[in-house]
Amino acid sequence: MRVLLVGAGGVGTAITRIAARRSFFDHMVVADYDLARAEAAVAALGADGARFSARRTDASDASAVAALLTEERCDVLLNATDPRFVLPLFEAAAEAGAHYLDMAMSLSKPHPERPYEECGVKLGDAQFERAEAWEKAGRLALVGMGVEPGLSDVFARHAADALFDEIDEIGIRDGANLTVEGYDFAPSFNIWTTVEECLNPPVVYEAGRGWFTTEPFSEPEVFDFPEGIGPVECVNVEHEEVLLVPRWVDARRVTFKYGLGEDFIGKLKTLHALGLDSTAPVTVATDLGPARVSPRDVVAAVLPDPATLGDRMTGKTCAGTWVKGVKDGEPREVYLYHVVDNEWSMREYGCQAVVWQTAVNPVVALELMAAGTWSGAGVLGPEAFAPGPFLDLLTAYGSPWGLREQ
């Protein structure tokens, strides 16, 4: 297997460090708009970097990326960029006849009249519209294969297959006790993506009603996270799992709630009130004359790069799937989860916990694809595949998952 990895930021760099320890691929091309960043990711591997090379590419240019896929004879494109570039990279893989894998799906657009009641364009709609073409081409687009979405969806499928006869609700619950020394506000993940998912109308799924939306940060609840993280208030947030799980798993309700905290929510609300969450360019006077910039890009530019925060960060992050239903005629409630301690991920890989936890899952999926254990054609989510091999391999990577009876 030859892999084109597009994006050499925090998650992309973590992918290279995880993949370097595995033998399932022949070569990985690390491509980024900033060639120096791609070269740094490869150079950091040292002697383990023999199967890696660095190239420059523009993720917004589908034709250029398709040409790079062909030139480098890559079998699969792994997208480690932010969601703005999902569609051009998705299209590039299709044009080049390669398989495709991402960790976040094509962007949504709120309903123009009823944004907090009805869905407009949903996350992933633009990709699922192409499902038939991918199926006819005999190529696999494995979408939403990070940690959330990704591992959380694998957990949902495992619960449906092995733990329940009927499922009332599947709720993704994400929480952490991470702190960053020296910063009042330092998100542990890409701020562009964080703003997008937190300020868009959250989506909820209910059988018989389908998908609908609510107000941002709605339905607060306190969820007790395992391994010493403890109780964290979680709120509804727009996320891909709610759009993916019901396509393959029978559940009466599906939700996603994120443990953000009152202070974080307050700062996001302030960004929104000031219009600093907008992606529409505005004209700004500079020493070199007027410039057109996106307010959200300015926010991202002034905040620290999450990938650089590991040395200042302490604590753990938890991604998991809470499931409530019936097994053998008795009510059952479980939480399937994956916890990463920042001290461990920094010591073992030199990557902070959140980016490492995101990065390990697409590498596991690639290994299953290379072995033919996971195969198919079309646009498919993680729920479309047998969960057992994935969960076993994740444990073999040295990062076991857990199950807690509620």
Side-chain angles (χ1 to χ4, degrees):
M1 173 183 278
R2 292 179 64 87
V3 180
L4 173 62
L5 169 65
V6 182
V11 173
T13 296
I15 285 171
T16 64
R17 295 178 183 182
I18 296 165
R21 302 187 184 189
R22 309 299 296 185
S23 62
F24 67 87
F25 66 98
D26 301 307
H27 192 81
M28 181 175 289
V29 180
V30 183
D32 197 278
Y33 188 79
D34 182 351
L35 177 59
R37 190 161 72 162
E39 291 174 335
V42 173
L45 300 175
D48 291 333
R51 291 179 296 152
F52 295 78
S53 60
R55 294 290 301 269
R56 184 192 180 281
T57 197
D58 182 349
S60 69
D61 188 338
S63 296
V65 175
L68 182 58
L69 280 162
T70 301
E71 179 186 342
E72 292 285 353
R73 298 175 288 109
C74 292
D75 306 290
V76 58
L77 187 159
L78 172 52
N79 177 1
T81 65
D82 73 53
R84 288 174 290 182
F85 303 107
V86 163
L87 284 180
L89 294 177
F90 180 74
E91 291 163 0
E95 182 180 336
H99 301 297
Y100 171 86
L101 193 155
D102 65 30
M103 290 163 272
M105 298 178 67
S106 58
L107 293 171
S108 64
K109 292 182 181 179
H111 191 281
E113 285 89 35
R114 296 159 60 88
Y116 304 128
E117 297 171 359
E118 297 182 26
C119 295
V121 176
K122 301 188 298 300
L123 291 168
D125 274 358
Q127 290 173 283
F128 282 116
E129 287 172 0
R130 296 285 309 280
E132 185 177 353
W134 277 81
E135 190 171 358
K136 287 181 177 177
R139 294 293 181 266
L140 170 62
L142 175 50
V143 296
M145 192 58 255
V147 59
E148 291 173 342
L151 177 58
S152 51
D153 303 75
V154 174
F155 283 151
R157 176 63 188 269
H158 175 64
D161 287 358
L163 305 178
F164 290 86
D165 299 321
E166 299 176 22
I167 294 177
D168 294 320
E169 183 170 351
I170 293 175
I172 315 306
R173 299 293 184 265
D174 179 299
N177 61 359
L178 295 168
T179 59
V180 182
E181 181 185 359
Y183 290 98
D184 292 328
F185 186 55
S188 58
F189 201 69
N190 180 292
I191 187 60
W192 200 100
T193 305
T194 301
V195 169
E196 180 75 14
E197 63 190 25
C198 290
L199 293 179
N200 275 351
V203 180
V204 174
Y205 172 84
E206 291 181 358
R209 183 177 178 182
W211 289 290
F212 61 95
T213 57
T214 71
E215 295 273 354
F217 315 121
S218 58
E219 299 181 359
E221 68 176 53
V222 175
F223 192 85
D224 187 19
F225 289 91
E227 298 194 21
I229 295 175
V232 179
E233 184 176 75
C234 298
V235 293
N236 278 325
V237 167
E238 181 190 50
H239 233 253
E240 287 89 345
E241 291 95 326
V242 180
L243 288 312
L244 285 170
V245 169
R247 295 175 186 269
W248 288 278
V249 177
D250 187 14
R252 295 184 179 92
R253 194 168 196 263
V254 183
T255 58
F256 179 98
K257 293 189 179 183
Y258 199 1
L260 294 172
E262 184 178 347
D263 180 68
F264 197 100
I265 290 173
K267 287 183 169 63
L268 290 175
K269 287 181 176 179
T270 299
L271 290 177
H272 179 65
L274 296 174
L276 294 174
D277 60 325
S278 173
T279 60
V282 297
T283 301
V284 178
T286 75
D287 293 342
L288 300 177
R292 298 280 287 169
V293 297
S294 156
R296 193 186 301 184
D297 287 340
V298 173
V299 172
V302 300
L303 288 173
D305 179 353
T308 67
L309 298 175
D311 291 332
R312 293 172 172 263
M313 187 182 291
T314 57
K316 299 177 181 180
T317 184
C318 179
T321 303
W322 163 74
V323 187
K324 180 181 180 181
V326 175
K327 178 66 174 177
D328 297 328
E330 297 293 329
R332 190 179 193 187
E333 194 174 340
V334 304
Y335 183 58
L336 301 99
Y337 64 90
H338 184 251
V339 171
V340 177
D341 188 323
N342 188 72
E343 180 182 355
W344 175 86
S345 64
M346 287 298 296
R347 182 178 68 248
E348 292 293 320
Y349 288 90
C351 300
Q352 56 105 319
V354 177
V355 299
W356 189 92
Q357 188 182 47
T358 304
V360 68
N361 295 285
V363 181
V364 172
L366 280 177
E367 184 160 346
L368 293 175
M369 290 169 63
T373 306
W374 275 16
S375 62
V379 179
L380 303 176
E383 299 89 346
F385 302 94
F390 187 98
L391 297 174
D392 290 344
L393 191 54
L394 179 64
T395 300
Y397 272 50
S399 191
W401 57 283
L403 186 154
R404 181 182 69 188
E405 295 281 350
Q406 296 290 88

